[in-house]
Amino acid sequence: MGSVQIVTTILAAGITAVAVWLAVRAVMKMTAVIRLGQPAPERFADKGARTRKMLVETAGHTRMLKWGVVGAAHWFVMVGFIVLSLLVLEAYFEVVTPTGGLPVIGHWTVFGLATEIITVLGLVGILVLMAIRLRNRPSRPGGRSRFTGSTMWQGYFVEWIVLLVLVFGLVIRGFKVATDHFEYPVWATPVSHAVGAILPDWSDGASVAALIKIVISMTWLIVISLNVTMGVAWHRFLAFPNIFFKRDPEKPAGSGLGPLRPMTSQGKPLDFEEADPEKDQFGVAQVEQFTWKGLLDFSTCTECGRCQSQCPAWNTGKPLSPKLLVLSLRDHAYAKAPYLLAGGGKDLTGEEKATQAQLAHLDVLSLAEGDKPLIGTAEEGGVIDPDVLWSCTTCGACVEQCPVDIEHVDHIVDMRRYQVLIESSFPSEAGVMLRNLENKGNPWGAPQNTREDWTKGLDFEVPRVGEVDDFEYLFWVGCAGAFEDRAKKTTRAVATLLNEAGVSFAILGEGETCSGDPARRIGNEFVFQMLAQQNVETLNEAFEGREKTKRKIVATCPHCFNTLGNEYGQLGGEFEVVHHTQLLAHLVSTGKLTPVQPVDGGVTYHDPCYLGRHNRVFAAPREVLGDSIQGELTEMPRNSERSFCCGAGGARMWMEEKIGKRINVDRVEEAMATGAKTVAVGCPFCSTMLNDGVNGKGAGEQVEVIDVASVLLRSVKPEQPRGDKESTSVAG
Ligand code: SF4
Ligand code: SF4
C-alpha cells in the first residue's frame, strides 16, 4: 500500500464511520417517531399479496410510469442506485489498492457490462429528472408548479449526488484503463474506455477517484441522516415498507381509494353503542393519534408534487395542497416527537400526561410544538388551517397519483371526524345537511313520503320490494334521485330503460334513507353508522335467503354505489352493487336495448370521482355513449384517472365555496372548450354542479348537461318527450 492509499483508506474509513453512526441514529429516530402512532393490526394481514404488490410496484414502477418520461427516467435512477451500490462498495477496495475490485464478481465481464449499461442509463435518467425539476422550478417566471412548496435544495442535492456518483464511477474505471489495469473488454465497457482515453496515466488516480466517490456518497448519507424529514432521499428506503403496508394490496389504483377506513381506537373499529369519548379516540386531534402507517406515510413523501398538480382545490386557488398537508403533518410529527418520546402528550380529556420532571430537559421548541393545535388558524398556531381541511372534495386525485401510496383522504377524514364529533367545528352551512340527515333521512330535509314521487306519470308500474315475488335488481334510487328535479329525470330514464329491456327490478320506496356518504365524508361517523345500519337491515331483509351474488343492487349515484358496495360490508351488508351505466352498457351489448337514433351535436363525458377514480368504472359510461351518439365521444384533456372533480364530493356539495375560483366553473370551461353541445355525466351531484357552472356562464341555451342514461334513452326512444328545461329545485 503506497502513501496515497494509506491516506485514502484512512479518510474513507473515517467519513464512513461518521456517516454510518449518524445513519443508525437517524433510523432509530425515525422508527421511534413512526412507532408513536396508533396500532393498525390489519396492515399485517395478507403478507404474500403485500410482498407481491410491493415487488411489482417498485420493480415495475407501475405507479411512477403513469407519467411516462419521469417514470422511465426514475426507473433507471432507481436501478442505478440499487445495482451501483455495489460499485460504491467496490470503491472501498480501490482506495486500498488502485487495481482493486469486488471479490468474485468484480472481475467478471458480465458484471462489467451490466454496471456499464446501468451507469449510462442512470446518467441519462438523472439528467432528464434534473431538467424536469429545473423546467418546473417554482422560482422561474410565472412559476407555480407541482414543486411549489417542495424543499428544492434537497431535490437538487440528491440529483447532483446521483450524477456525481455515476460520473466518478466512470472516472475510477477510466484511471484503471489509463494505467492498463482494467480487466473488462472494450466491447463490454466502451464508455469507461473512452473516459480512460482522455485521462492521464496516473497510478494513484483510481484510489483518489474512489475516495472522492466515497466522500460524495457518505456526504449524502450524513446530510440525509441529519435531515430525517428529507423525504426526497429517504423514500429510497421508506417506499418499500409504505407500499407493503398499504391499505389494500389488491387494489389496482391507490389503495386509499373507494371505501374509507372505519373509525378506530387502539386499532379496533369503534362501536358507537359502547364508545366513550373519554376512553376512546374519536378521529384524530393530535398527530400521534394517526396510526403508525399514517406517520410512515408522512415520512415517505418524496415532495414530488404529483398530488398537488392534480388537486382541484389547489388548482382553483384554495389553500389546500395534499402535498403541503402531508409535509405539514410530517414536520409537526418530527418536531413534536422529542416531547412525545419524553412521555408528553395530552390524554383524551386534554390533560398533560407527563410530569414536570419528565419535560424539564426539553427545549422550548419541542414544548411549543406539543402545544400546537392540529387544526387551527395561523393566529392560533395551528398545524393545519381549517380552510385547508374543509377544502377537500375527497376526489382521490392525490391518492391515485401518489407514487408511494400515501393515503391522503383517510388522513383528512380522520381529522374531520374529531372536528365534527368532538369539537362540533365545521362549516356552519353544512349543519343543515347533517340535521336533515338525522331527522329526515336525506340531506335536503324532503318529506319521506315524497320519495316515490318520481314514479308519477310513468307509463308502467314501478314495483316495490315486498310487492313482487322476485326481482333481479334492487334499484337504489338515492336521495338526489328521489328528491332533486334534475336527478329525478335520470331516475325515470333508468327505470324506463330497465322496463324497456325487460329487467325485473324493485325499489325500496319509503324504506330507503340516505346511504350516509355525505355524513361519513364530512366526518360524522355517528350519523353515517346510524343511517348505514338502518339501510343494511332493510337491504338484508329485502334480500333474505339470497347468496351474495344474487343480492344485486343498481344505483344511479356513484356515492351510493361506493358506499353500498364498498362500505356497508364494514357493517355486515354484503351486496353486488353496479352503477346504472354498467348495467345499461350490458343491456346494450346483449341486445336488450337498441339505440336507434344517434344523439348529435358533439358529446363529452365528465367522469364522476366516485365512479371513475374511486371505483375504476371508466369504460361502461363511454360504451353507452359510444352506442348512443353520432361520431366519436370528445374527451376533455383531464379525463378518466385524471378527471377533474366537479367540486361536490366530500360533502362540499353542502358547503359554500368562498375561496378561489369555483371548481365547477373550472370544469365547465374545460367541457365547453371541447365544443360539445352535450356534457354527459353519471352522477346527480356532478349534474347539479356542472349545470350550475354552465348556467353561471350564461351558456344554458348552448350546452346541455345530462346523465348518460338520458342520452341513451333519447337514442333508444327518440319519441320520448324530452321534458322542460331542467331546474334545480328539490321536491318538498
Ligand atoms: S382528495 Fe382531491 S381535493 Fe382532497 S386533497 Fe386529494 S386531490 Fe385535493
Ligand atoms: S404525490 Fe405522494 S409523494 Fe408526491 S408529493 Fe404528493 S404525497 Fe408526496
Side-chain angles (χ1 to χ4, degrees), residues 115-130:
T115 46
E116 184 91 348
I117 293 172
I118 292 166
T119 299
V120 173
L121 293 178
L123 276 171
V124 173
I126 198 64
L127 288 171
V128 169
L129 293 183
M130 290 170 96

Side-chain angles (χ1 to χ4, degrees), residues 257 307-308 310-315 320-323 325 388-389 391-400 408-409 412 416 609-610 613-614 645 652 663:
L257 294 173
C307 54
Q308 180 171 288
Q310 307 296 309
C311 175
W314 178 257
N315 279 303
L320 166 66
S321 144
K323 176 185 75 180
L325 177 122
V388 170
L389 186 68
S391 289
C392 179
T393 67
T394 70
C395 72
C398 47
V399 180
E400 213 273 340
H408 315 66
V409 174
I412 289 170
R416 286 183 173 187
C609 301
Y610 275 85
R613 208 157 28 229
H614 279 281
C645 182
R652 289 283 330 164
I663 294 175

Side-chain angles (χ1 to χ4, degrees), residues 300-308 323 326 398 401-404 406 408:
T300 309
C301 176
T302 71
E303 307 195 17
C304 70
R306 288 178 180 221
C307 54
Q308 180 171 288
K323 176 185 75 180
V326 166
C398 47
Q401 281 297 322
C402 183
V404 290
I406 290 172
H408 315 66

Side-chain angles (χ1 to χ4, degrees), residues 5 88 110 120 125 166 206 208 231-232 244 297 353 466 468 506 520 576 609 641 658 666:
Q5 281 69 38
V88 175
V110 176
V120 173
L166 292 170
V208 173
V232 68
F244 180 87
D297 268 3
K353 289 194 266 187
V468 278
R520 192 167 222 204
E576 285 287 317
C609 301
E641 284 98 338
K658 297 176 194 148
D666 197 285

Side-chain angles (χ1 to χ4, degrees), residues 12 24 132 175 195 213 225-226 250 291 336 360 381 402 506 512 549 553 558 565 611 622 632:
V24 170
I132 289 171
F175 275 120
V195 174
K213 180 168 172 150
S225 300
L226 294 175
E250 303 291 3
T291 66
K336 190 179 179 183
C402 183
E512 195 182 297
T549 51
I553 297 175
L611 183 64
R622 288 178 168 79
E632 297 275 305

